[in-house]
Amino acid sequence: MRTAILPALLLPAMLAALPAMAQTNSWSRSSLVFTGGGTNGCAIGLNSATHAGGPASQIRLSFANNGTDSVRVTGNAVLTQGGQSTNRQFWFGINPGIVAFTPGPNPGVVQVSGSTLRVTITGCQQR
């Protein structure tokens, strides 16, 4: 009977510890570098870059098409902190006046707190 009670007593403590492992962050100002939004006559803006989860969770990038044409966008996001880095290439199609979400890199071994996120639009084609 003791063996059944012990796991039942430990489970709430283990579940309470899980949120502490999550790394939550929102990049802005000097910790977020965005370039290339005007590539090839496009008008792409980066609305936000957020992360809520563990090292295997992806960073969520939110873009807006401030132009008048539908576009196909390609880019790269690089997360760096303390000599460690991780990156992810992305692409998405977006209509004018619409917001699109796309995954950025998984932090992996990179500590989210105090990190810098560089998001670069490498290509934009009007459709």
Side-chain angles (χ1 to χ4, degrees):
M1 179 139 210
R2 271 197 286 195
T3 57
I5 293 173
L6 186 57
L9 292 174
L10 291 177
L11 184 59
M14 290 171 27
L15 291 176
L18 286 178
M21 295 186 323
Q23 298 182 45
T24 301
N25 199 34
S26 180
W27 289 266
S28 62
R29 295 184 210 113
S30 62
S31 66
L32 178 62
V33 179
F34 176 62
T35 57
T39 299
N40 201 28
C42 293
I44 302 299
L46 178 61
N47 289 350
S48 65
T50 58
H51 181 262
S57 299
Q58 294 172 318
I59 294 169
R60 181 176 167 143
L61 304 173
S62 170
F63 294 93
N65 182 352
N66 300 316
T68 57
D69 296 315
S70 296
V71 295
R72 177 176 158 79
V73 177
T74 57
N76 189 41
V78 179
L79 179 68
T80 58
Q81 204 276 345
Q84 300 286 327
S85 69
T86 184
N87 70 346
R88 181 181 180 104
Q89 294 181 342
F90 59 83
W91 67 269
F92 58 91
I94 186 170
N95 292 322
I98 301 294
V99 173
F101 297 95
T102 191
N106 295 355
V109 298
V110 178
Q111 183 69 19
V112 172
S113 178
S115 64
T116 299
L117 182 62
R118 297 181 192 286
V119 180
T120 305
I121 301 298
T122 57
C124 185
Q125 297 174 337
Q126 297 176 359
R127 298 193 270 166

